[in-house]
Amino acid sequence: MHSKSEIKEAVISNRRNIGRQYMAKSPSDVVISTQQKAQMFPKPVFTLLFLVAAVVLQQTSASAQQPDNAAEVYKQAFQAVPATPEFLNILTAENPSPEQIKSALAAGGPALSLLHKATTLSKCDWGVDTSGKSKVNLAFLNPLRPLHAVLVLQVQSQIAAGNVKGAIATLTDSLMLGRRLQQMPLLITRLLGWAYEKSAIESIAEYLPRFDAMAIRDVSATFVALPAPVSLDDAFAAEKRVLGAELPAKSVAFSKAAELRSTALRAMFTAVLAAPQGKEADFKSTHDSVGGGPFRYRAIDGGYELISAVPDNAGKPITLVVGKSAAK
C-alpha cells in the first residue's frame, strides 16, 4: 500500500507530465477557432514559450495570497481542470458525441465555475516577481490549453441550446482571463492572454447575429471596461531583468508584430460592436493601423468580413468574420 503523501505526489506528478505533454504538443497546425477545440495557440507562441523557458522556476509574492484576489481563484480553476487521458481525448476528438461533450462539460464544470467567480473579483495580482531577484514560476499556466477547449465546448453547447446569455457570460470570462494574463509583464503571458482574447473576439463575432441589441451593448461595455494589457515596453524591460540579458532580436520583432495584429483585431471588433447591422457604409470611417484607410468590407453568406492590411503569421491579411455560423 502507498501512503497518502505518496499517492498525492504521484497524482501531482502525473498532472504535470500530462500538462507538459499537452502544452508541448506540436503546434504546427494549431489554429484558434470555435471549430477546432484542441488547437489553441499558434506556433510562434510556443516558440517564444520555450525561448523564455529559462524564466520558469520558483517564486511568487505574498501579495498574491489573498482570498479576494482573482489570480488565486484563476489558479484554483487551472488546478480544477482534469488531466485524465479520457478527458483530454474528448477535447481533442474531431467530432465528440453528445455524451462525450456532456461528460467533458461535467468534468470541467468546477473549473468553469471558478473562472466565472474570478471574473467578478476586481483585484488581480498574479504575484509574479520580475525584479530579477528571484525566478518566476509559470507552471500554473499548464492547464490553459485544455481549459480553453472546455470553454469552447461550453459556448457551442450554450448557443446550440439557445442560451445566448449564458454563452456571452462564458465568453466574457474568457475575455477577462485573456486580458488579465496580459497584465503580467512578460512576453509569454501577453501572448497566451492574447490567444484567449482573440479566440473570444472571433467567437463573439461568429455568433453576433444571434445577439439582440441589449446583448451587443453589454458585450461592448464589457470590452471597453477590460483592464489594459501591460505595455510592450514594460514587458521588454521585465524580460531583460528576469533573463539578465538582452532579448533576442527575433523575439522583439515577433512581439512587435503580434502587438500590431492585436491592435488591428481589437479595432475591427470595436467597429463591429458599434455597427452590428454590418452595412459597408458603417465602416467607411474606420482606421486601419497599416495604410491609414478604412478596413475593407466583404459580404459573405450569413454575414460579412472586415479585412485589415495588417498581415497575420502566414502573411495573409487579418480578417474578422462576422456571422459565419449563420450560414451553416
Side-chain angles (χ1 to χ4, degrees), residues 179-216:
R179 278 296 181 92
R180 283 173 161 171
L181 286 170
Q182 293 173 79
Q183 288 187 299
M184 278 189 274
L186 292 169
L187 295 179
I188 185 58
T189 50
R190 286 179 97 258
L191 290 168
L192 293 173
W194 171 241
Y196 261 79
E197 182 180 348
K198 178 177 182 287
S199 178
I201 286 173
E202 291 174 340
S203 293
I204 292 170
E206 179 180 348
Y207 296 121
L208 196 68
R210 301 169 187 254
F211 297 178
D212 60 25
M214 183 175 293
I216 293 173

Side-chain angles (χ1 to χ4, degrees), residues 268 288 296 306-320:
M268 287 193 287
D288 196 349
R296 289 195 294 122
L306 280 190
I307 305 165
S308 170
V310 177
D312 62 17
N313 290 330
K316 298 178 181 179
I318 291 176
T319 301
L320 182 62

Side-chain angles (χ1 to χ4, degrees), residues 121-183:
L121 299 176
S122 58
K123 178 182 178 180
C124 187
D125 177 9
W126 293 101
V128 174
D129 180 5
T130 60
S131 67
K133 297 177 181 178
S134 60
K135 298 199 175 179
V136 180
N137 180 5
L138 299 181
F140 64 89
L141 297 178
N142 278 355
L144 277 177
R145 187 172 179 175
L147 176 60
H148 175 266
V150 177
L151 278 165
V152 170
L153 276 181
Q154 174 88 323
V155 171
Q156 290 176 335
S157 297
Q158 289 167 326
I159 290 292
N163 183 8
V164 173
K165 185 176 180 179
I168 291 174
T170 302
L171 289 165
T172 297
D173 294 341
S174 187
L175 277 174
M176 183 62 81
L177 172 57
R179 278 296 181 92
R180 283 173 161 171
L181 286 170
Q182 293 173 79
Q183 288 187 299

Side-chain angles (χ1 to χ4, degrees), residues 229-247:
V230 67
S231 74
L232 196 55
D233 286 342
D234 285 345
F236 285 152
E239 291 283 356
K240 183 177 178 179
R241 289 193 303 271
V242 172
L243 294 173
E246 295 290 341
L247 285 171

